[in-house]
Amino acid sequence: MENFKLEIDAEGIALITFDVPGRSMNTITASVLEELGELAHTLKTDAAIKGAIIQSGKASGFCAGADLGEMGSGSLAGGAAPQDADAALKAGFERAFALNKALRAIETCGKPVACALEGLALGGGLEIALCCHYRVIADNPKIKLGLPEAKVGLLPGAGGTQRLPRLIGAQNALMMILQGEEKNPSEAKGLGFVHELVPAGETLAAARRWLAAKPKAVAPWDEKGFKIPGGGPFTPGGAMTFIGGNAFLSKQSYGNYPAQKHIMSAVYEGLQVPIDAALRIESRYFFKTLQTPQARGMIRTLFLSMQALAKGGNRPKGHAPYEINKVSVLGAGMMGAGIAYVQAMAGIETVLIDRDQASAEKGKGYAKDILDKRVSRGRMSQGAADKVLALITPTADYALVKGSDLVVEAVFENRELKAEVTKLAEAQLAQTAVFGSNTSTLPITGLAEASARPKNFIGIHFFSPVDKMGLVEIILGKETSEETLAKSIYYVLKIKKTPITVNDSRGFYTSRCFGTYVTEGAHMLAEGIKPAIIENVGKMTGMPRAPLEMSDDVALDLAWKVRSQARADLGSAYKETPVDGLLANMVEKLGRYGRKNGKGYYEYPSDGSKKKIWPGLSDLVAVKISECPPELRDEYKKRLLYIQALETARCFEEGVITSPRDADVGSILAWGFAPYTGGTVSLMDLMGIAKFVAECDVLAQKYGPRFTPPALLRDMAAKGETFYGRFADNKAAA
Ligand code: NAI
């Protein structure tokens, strides 16, 4: 075996060390799966073996679960369509069942098997541990145990949905599995899915002690009279779990995530039958889930692409690593303060500049507040927090910029001011340093005109709140060099964010596409659709917030300002829509700017009680549609999602974005585009471009030319292409 080392000692204890060659972390590959089967056979048939201990040979932990890269290429690549659908289904099931079969064989090998965990066990890794008769774990609160499959649209397919509820009850298990929650060792012991906690480095000795006591080699569920903790589905407690669980799920996810429904079903059905049948039920649901576009999209975007981007997958090749030790941030407002904090957390010496010392200090105060919270919650020591804070130097003196490897400019959104601070900072900078602007709307090429070194000038667009948002949109100006891009990506990775790269354009990629969602909500309102319908349908699409409430958050006066600017720029080419009239009324006539002045599409009671849709809206636009049968609901959902995907397609057509991977990841991380779709590009690719185009044509007929598919999409539809195929930067992950 290449992945497991097996040594049998004088007492007949087989020490099995899991150590996948050439990897820093164990994952379950096809070859691991095969060898688990071999191991089970050896344990059962080798008379010299009296008991066994499974441990990891990696310092990084026990096992992080299935190799999603391999699983992805095996089942996502598409391949030739199966000739015989029945045979293909059977073969698929057998593949899905193979790991369950191997682990069940270990569980029933007739010899006691312990698992000694010195580090993390996630997904399939925890499922291996769960098939052992005894689990002992190092008492280190940093160790993570969990079944995170649901986070990538999958369900635990190696016994997790069956063994965990049989150990800790259906309710606890469902909470863990549906949300992909991780537990630390003492929580796991408390819940009852590990048996013993010992100091780090002593798990092996503890496992030996357990074996020395000649334990039974049988899982609790294989013993006569076994009862599910908290009761099975037909006991009063168990029934409540499933009734409440289904209601909770519908409220949370509106049925958008097949994996979640399948997890509920697998647990519900599986707990009614003996474990062997239960494992087959689980494998059926696992295979069914794997076939869904949601699982394909989510695995690709939320796992494979995210992982590739975190490793610098979109960094141009051939540029030496750029050491980022010191970075100056210009502007200590909301964004600058957040950027200074994340930099200091990454160990970067940070100069935080504002117009005067007091404003700069205030910006540093933001970092102090977050750090104080971390300390008070026990997530950081005071000493460590002090060290982070000491890395930020607040000042009004541009001389301190000297020696910076990079500058992030985050002053007011004003072209002249930005030009002025660019010059002030550049006067202090080395020729090799990068100047990044965090502008949210001003084209980078224009801002670079103020720079003496436009090659080093780039857009580094953060999202608010900076400490929570994982994405950074990097924008290339016309003259930005490849080297500057490479350096900027080193910077973004150093502060532990995910970079995507786009070309210069008004609104860049993220703001431009996201904007279509809130605008579509306004179109619907202007058409006379009852606001509550718009909001409910919006939530059903899987977007994090409904369109009208999102409009209020972004601010209606800002939307009006952007429109007015566009009208001024485009002159007679500007096409008025009913949304212009609506916004003019709201902003100009009624002074309703959104959440920021407590008056928008919603009203925000001053006593802090829950916001309500503003009743005056119906006077402004008469309600014409106050019923929403399912066909209409589905059509509205499409409007709200497709409009964003269409804008993404236009961005590809115009060369604003060129990478499907960046577009998908960006759409989910920047504006929370319905994650189950895998992103704006995967939505189109996985339903098929031809079908998407046909449905958009129908919407265009009914709702207007903004739904007319661009020529690029028609061409792709005619050729049967996908984005991941046509713009193939992402072959490895596709
Ligand atoms: P803000 O108004 O909170 O902060 C701007 C800061 O710049 C203020 O503290 C101000 O005193 C300072 N400043 C003005 N003149 C200066 C000078 N000569 N030297 C140094 N500092 C000076 O604004 P916010 O929201 O932080 O935005 C900053 C930039 O980030 C803008 O370009 C904005 O478009 C962009 N942005 C904003 C986002 C947001 O959600 N607020 C998201 C992404 C980008």
Side-chain angles (χ1 to χ4, degrees), residues 7 24 37 47 66 83 127 135 174 212 218 233 291 304 391 440-441 454 459 461 488 581 607 639 645 681 693 725:
E7 300 154 288
S24 58
Q83 293 300 315
E127 290 174 302
R135 287 166 291 284
L174 280 169
V218 57
Q291 303 295 96
L304 302 175
L391 285 169
S440 45
T441 54
H461 182 205
S488 303
D607 62 5
R639 284 179 73 168
V681 169
V693 163

Side-chain angles (χ1 to χ4, degrees), residues 208-492:
R208 284 188 196 283
R209 271 199 306 276
W210 176 75
L211 284 171
K214 306 270 180 277
K216 273 206 258 179
V218 57
W221 36 89
D222 286 323
E223 295 209 81
K224 234 187 150 94
F226 168 72
K227 287 216 162 41
I228 296 157
F234 292 132
T235 63
M240 282 315 290
T241 297
F242 289 96
I243 294 167
N246 279 331
F248 175 77
L249 247 196
S250 299
K251 182 167 181 271
Q252 290 282 309
S253 63
Y254 297 94
N256 286 326
Y257 294 83
Q260 305 260 324
K261 284 198 231 168
H262 293 167
I263 288 166
M264 285 297 279
S265 302
V267 175
Y268 180 76
E269 293 169 30
L271 289 186
Q272 300 175 42
V273 295
I275 188 88
D276 286 297
L279 293 172
R280 296 185 79 85
I281 288 173
E282 178 190 76
S283 288
R284 284 217 180 90
Y285 279 113
F286 178 77
F287 180 56
K288 205 167 156 183
T289 309
L290 199 56
Q291 303 295 96
T292 61
Q294 290 88 341
R296 294 173 188 209
M298 286 175 79
I299 292 175
R300 179 165 65 192
T301 301
L302 296 176
F303 186 79
L304 302 175
S305 298
M306 290 278 287
Q307 205 176 48
L309 292 178
K311 286 187 189 148
N314 57 0
R315 186 173 49 220
K317 304 279 172 285
H319 298 276
Y322 187 52
E323 281 295 325
I324 306 267
N325 297 312
K326 175 174 173 180
V327 175
S328 293
V329 180
L330 314 182
M334 187 171 95
M335 297 302 287
I339 296 165
Y341 166 75
V342 296
Q343 287 183 179
M345 282 295 279
I348 298 174
E349 183 190 340
T350 296
V351 176
L352 182 58
I353 297 195
D354 211 294
R355 287 176 291 191
D356 49 60
Q357 186 67 27
S359 308
E361 299 274 359
K362 193 168 163 237
K364 180 170 175 174
Y366 177 80
K368 184 171 184 313
D369 289 348
I370 304 185
L371 289 164
D372 283 350
K373 260 188 219 143
R374 290 181 70 97
V375 172
S376 71
R377 288 179 189 159
R379 293 176 61 198
M380 205 175 193
S381 72
Q382 187 62 55
D386 291 346
K387 270 195 197 139
V388 171
L389 202 60
L391 285 169
I392 304 177
T393 306
T395 181
D397 182 2
Y398 277 80
L400 268 65
V401 170
K402 208 174 191 68
S404 296
D405 304 301
L406 186 141
V407 166
V408 181
E409 172 277 300
V411 298
F412 297 137
E413 190 76 339
N414 173 301
R415 189 187 294 278
E416 289 72 36
L417 177 63
K418 288 193 189 283
E420 184 191 322
V421 300
T422 302
K423 291 199 171 81
L424 285 172
E426 277 191 351
Q428 305 294 332
L429 284 177
Q431 282 303 316
T432 48
V434 171
F435 190 100
S437 174
N438 180 45
T439 176
S440 45
T441 54
L442 302 169
I444 295 303
T445 307
L447 293 180
E449 284 166 13
S451 167
R453 292 164 291 156
K455 279 191 172 48
N456 298 18
F457 198 102
I458 195 162
I460 303 183
H461 182 205
F462 286 84
F463 296 84
S464 174
V466 179
D467 55 304
K468 299 226 169 67
M469 298 293 284
L471 191 83
V472 173
E473 184 177 30
I474 296 182
I475 304 125
L476 299 174
K478 212 158 134 201
E479 298 198 43
T480 308
S481 70
E482 210 180 59
E483 189 182 344
T484 299
L485 170 61
K487 287 175 172 175
S488 303
I489 291 179
Y490 276 114
Y491 163 71
V492 175

Side-chain angles (χ1 to χ4, degrees), residues 652 657-660 712 716 722-730:
F652 273 93
I657 193 154
T658 54
S659 151
L712 168 72
M716 288 172 69
T722 60
F723 279 90
Y724 278 87
R726 182 165 173 143
F727 299 90
D729 67 341
N730 199 9

